[in-house]
Amino acid sequence: MELFFDLVFVAFVGQLAHGIHGNPGFPEFGTFVLLFFPAWWAWVNIVSVINLLPGLTSRSLGVAMLAAMTAAALMAAAAPGAFGERAWAFSLANGALRILLLVLWLLQHREHSPEPSWRIWVYNGGTATLWLVAALLPLPAAVALWALSIAIEVTMVANSNRLGADRSMAGINIEHAGERLGLFVIIVLGESVFSIVTEAAEYWSPGAGLAAALGFMTVALLGWAFFQYGMGTLSAGLEHLRERGDLTGILQTTLFLPFILIVGVTSLAAGIATAIPAPFEQLPLGSTIAIGGGIALFYATNAAVSSRYGQPPRTVLAWGVPTVVLSLGLVPLGATQPAAVVLGLAVGLWVLVTAYVEINARRRIRSP
């Protein structure tokens, strides 16, 4: 049922990704981030409460996931006009998701915690009220309530230790948390592949095929890096943080940093989709920023997560700094080189990094 629920986010990511195709500027990138974060935040909250409710029956879980899927689907459908005539629907969907979370968290609290439930009522009940009121207000006021709701939730999560919310940390299922994050990344990669195939089918030509092949190789190598190396690091790192009782580290590496990584992957896919129709022409500045910046965000996030999991700074900096710098170097190159060249250089960067990691892994295996 959780996987079924995830399917709606394919539509949501696709809806928002279209807004940063072409030559996006700060308004387009800003809109993408501002609309994507509420959906991401609702997703991680649902994953968190399910993680802490191992006794939930399959039927109860199914009802909860279907309700969440309905609300998320409405959010996805409203996303293209969320700062316009569909703002009320976007608000209503977010309010409904938080009402569902309120019910699930109260259930978890009743079964596992003797503490007062005021945090839950503020975190989900109070913010649900803000979203529902926003559905009745005109845009400027509605957006202000959206921002206030998100700010309350993020602040409470960031101060979980002070608010006494760390007592439930012992019940976290590390395997489930890692698996769910991995599956969400698969969804985003799937949307990337879908956009590449769609563009190649629409602009059928040898040049479009070349750009699509380079784009697919970029996404495939990204997936290789994440699932060959990242997932093992994720599971071991989360277990390490749990043993240390580091709730802040768990929250940072499961709630906040993955969002930055996913924004990078989605931006990269949007840039690739823009390159396919005109592979031998220079990309617009917004698309080169999407490609170079997207890859840089991917590497920077992985470096931050690796460091948070306790890897030595020297080890992390050895690959983190060069990859981020080289990724950002693609942006000025895009001003003078055709789109296919930019994509080819992106593939070359991924190949070099993959080879570096594989060689180091083999050396560690052979060393006594």
Side-chain angles (χ1 to χ4, degrees), residues 2-350:
E2 286 183 286
L3 288 172
F4 187 47
F5 164 67
D6 286 350
L7 292 178
V8 74
F9 282 91
V10 176
F12 192 91
V13 172
Q15 290 275 39
L16 293 183
H18 282 297
I20 53 175
H21 285 198
N23 187 20
F26 286 111
E28 288 77 16
F29 281 120
T31 298
F32 168 72
V33 173
L34 289 174
L35 293 180
F36 190 27
F37 189 79
W40 163 260
W41 196 246
W43 183 87
V44 296
N45 273 276
I46 289 172
V47 169
S48 299
V49 69
I50 297 302
N51 185 290
L52 294 171
L53 275 172
L56 199 66
T57 67
S58 60
R59 289 180 177 81
S60 299
L61 176 62
V63 171
M65 291 298 97
L66 288 174
M69 192 173 185
T70 301
L74 176 59
M75 192 190 308
F83 287 133
E85 60 182 10
R86 303 182 194 177
W88 66 271
F90 192 77
S91 300
L92 185 63
N94 275 279
L97 277 171
R98 281 154 179 80
I99 291 173
L100 173 63
L101 287 167
L102 174 65
V103 173
L104 291 174
W105 278 118
L106 288 175
L107 177 62
Q108 191 274 343
H109 180 272
R110 185 184 68 183
E111 295 182 358
H112 300 285
S113 176
E115 301 292 329
S117 59
W118 66 268
R119 289 189 305 271
I120 299 172
W121 284 103
V122 173
Y123 185 81
N124 291 128
T127 56
T129 302
L130 290 175
W131 282 100
L132 294 176
V133 171
L136 305 174
L137 299 178
L139 255 187
V143 173
L145 290 187
W146 298 357
L148 177 60
S149 173
I150 294 295
I152 291 171
E153 293 175 346
V154 170
T155 300
M156 291 186 70
V157 169
N159 293 276
S160 296
N161 285 320
R162 294 186 184 134
L163 296 176
D166 58 331
R167 296 182 179 88
S168 62
M169 186 176 62
I172 291 177
N173 185 326
I174 296 300
E175 182 180 357
H176 175 264
E179 177 186 88
R180 297 295 289 122
L181 279 173
L183 291 172
F184 195 89
V185 173
I186 287 179
I187 288 174
V188 178
L189 292 175
E191 170 57 29
S192 303
V193 172
F194 177 78
S195 65
I196 291 170
V197 172
T198 301
E199 293 294 322
E202 183 174 353
Y203 299 95
W204 188 263
S205 69
L210 172 63
L214 291 171
F216 177 76
M217 289 176 65
T218 302
V219 174
L221 287 167
L222 184 153
W224 178 276
F226 185 83
F227 293 108
Q228 286 290 335
Y229 320 123
M231 287 302 294
T233 301
L234 176 67
S235 299
L238 287 176
E239 188 61 43
H240 173 68
L241 293 176
R242 184 174 66 173
E243 291 174 357
R244 290 175 49 191
D246 189 349
L247 175 62
T248 301
I250 292 175
L251 294 175
Q252 289 174 347
T253 56
T254 56
L255 302 187
F256 299 113
L257 289 173
F259 174 73
I260 300 174
L261 183 145
I262 289 168
V263 167
V265 174
T266 307
S267 298
L268 171 62
I272 293 172
T274 303
I276 292 174
F280 303 120
E281 298 178 12
Q282 293 176 9
L283 281 169
L285 177 60
S287 290
T288 57
I289 292 175
I291 293 174
I295 298 175
L297 285 178
F298 178 86
Y299 281 127
T301 304
N302 278 284
V305 170
S306 298
S307 178
R308 197 66 183 83
Y309 285 160
Q311 292 190 13
R314 181 180 300 178
T315 302
V316 175
L317 291 175
W319 59 265
V321 173
T323 52
V324 171
V325 171
L326 290 173
S327 300
L328 293 176
L330 295 174
V331 177
L333 281 174
T336 59
Q337 301 298 320
V341 173
V342 175
L343 291 180
L345 291 172
V347 171
L349 173 61
W350 283 111

